[in-house]
Amino acid sequence: MNCIIIDDEIMARAVIAQMISLHTELTVVDEFSNAIDAIKYLNKNEVEVVFLDIHMPDFTGFDFINTIKNPPKIVLITSDKNFAINAFEYDCIVDYLVKPITEERFEKAMQKLNWRVETPKKEDALMDEKIPADKSNEFYVNISNRLIKIDIPTITIIKAKGDYISIKTDTNSYTVHTTLKKIEEKLPKNLFLKIHRSYIINTKKIIDIEDNSVLIGKDVIPVSRGNKPELMKRLNLL
């Protein structure tokens, strides 16, 4: 896979290039100290992967992603972990590496990259169900400038509250500034179901179902008439 490195720090580019050299499936075809020159290059050339720094003068890594059409697979690199929550908004982003990068962490990123590249396009709809365990079983949310890890299987209920959502797990509750639609895209479809315009539930946490509601823990959740047939399909009825 042809790749390019975009980082305004020459030493940072050298470190990434050295790590890439240990992976024969990757070939660095060029390096750039700014995003503008990289965009000009991509207007005439195609690459499969971009190793992209976020913090660059005048034009940030996110500006770069928002500018190019059909962006390739991107591995973000930065010294600021607080931008991780923004990375979840982009399907093209494979992983998020925080400097200083260890070889072990870089190796994990390459595993994710190889999986994303090798998975046939016809299986994209099954991405959430087949994604590697270290990505499918957890995600991070930004709570008061702290990144909190949430183990997906522990989630019981997700409720929309205007511009926020409430995520309830087996042990805690979190309020996050995002939408129900965006969080739904991150959840494995075989485990979670939107049963109401304001609710997504973990179907494995259901205790019982009565009329148009489900009981999860001590919470009674409404089920819309349109979503009830799909819920019934998920049940292992005798």
Side-chain angles (χ1 to χ4, degrees):
M1 294 178 285
N2 289 338
C3 64
I4 60 174
I5 303 171
I6 310 174
D7 197 311
D8 60 315
E9 297 178 1
I10 187 170
M11 288 303 299
R13 297 199 303 273
V15 169
I16 294 300
Q18 190 277 330
M19 290 185 175
I20 291 174
S21 69
L22 302 177
H23 295 264
T24 57
E25 72 274 18
L26 290 173
T27 301
V28 178
V29 293
D30 216 331
E31 299 180 8
F32 301 92
S33 61
N34 64 82
I36 299 298
D37 288 344
I39 291 173
K40 293 178 181 178
Y41 177 88
L42 292 177
N43 286 337
K44 298 179 180 180
N45 303 275
E46 292 186 5
V47 299
E48 287 79 26
V49 186
V50 175
F51 291 85
L52 176 65
D53 183 29
I54 293 178
H55 290 289
M56 290 181 289
D58 301 323
F59 212 75
T60 70
F62 288 120
D63 292 333
F64 169 84
I65 296 173
N66 292 327
T67 300
I68 59 177
K69 295 181 179 179
N70 301 317
K73 301 293 185 296
I74 291 176
V75 178
L76 283 182
I77 301 166
T78 183
S79 57
D80 190 346
K81 66 180 180 180
N82 290 326
F83 280 94
I85 191 70
N86 300 87
F88 299 145
E89 306 295 329
Y90 299 89
D91 292 335
C92 61
I93 294 177
V94 175
D95 206 353
Y96 184 101
L97 301 179
V98 178
K99 301 175 182 177
I101 305 167
T102 65
E103 291 185 2
E104 180 181 5
R105 185 63 185 85
F106 189 84
E107 181 64 31
K108 286 185 177 181
M110 293 304 95
Q111 291 174 4
K112 293 180 181 181
L113 173 63
N114 288 330
W115 182 88
R116 285 281 294 272
V117 170
E118 294 170 4
T119 300
K121 291 182 179 180
K122 65 181 180 180
E123 294 184 357
D124 282 352
L126 302 177
M127 185 77 72
D128 287 335
E129 298 176 21
K130 294 187 176 183
I131 205 161
D134 66 336
K135 188 171 183 180
S136 66
N137 285 338
E138 64 188 40
F139 59 73
Y140 288 79
V141 295
N142 193 345
I143 307 292
S144 300
N145 294 321
R146 293 177 57 214
L147 292 177
I148 307 296
K149 184 176 77 170
I150 295 181
D151 292 321
I152 291 178
T154 69
I155 296 173
T156 58
I157 304 165
I158 302 174
K159 180 182 179 181
K161 294 182 176 181
D163 293 333
Y164 292 82
I165 61 169
S166 172
I167 303 174
K168 190 170 186 177
T169 70
D170 292 331
T171 57
N172 290 293
S173 293
Y174 306 94
T175 299
V176 183
H177 185 262
T178 187
T179 64
L180 207 62
K181 181 179 179 181
K182 289 179 180 178
I183 197 71
E184 185 178 14
E185 293 172 354
K186 304 297 180 184
L187 300 172
K189 293 178 174 61
N190 65 325
L191 193 61
F192 290 86
L193 179 66
K194 187 177 182 180
I195 60 170
H196 185 275
R197 65 181 181 180
S198 298
Y199 290 94
I200 295 173
I201 65 167
N202 184 336
T203 56
K204 303 300 182 184
K205 303 292 185 177
I206 296 174
I207 296 175
D208 66 41
I209 301 173
E210 183 176 354
D211 296 328
N212 291 320
S213 63
V214 299
L215 179 66
I216 297 180
K218 296 181 180 180
D219 297 295
V220 178
I221 312 299
V223 181
S224 67
R225 185 175 301 176
N227 289 317
K228 191 170 183 179
E230 179 60 28
L231 174 62
M232 300 308 292
K233 288 181 183 178
R234 299 284 190 95
L235 303 179
N236 186 17
L237 297 176
L238 292 178

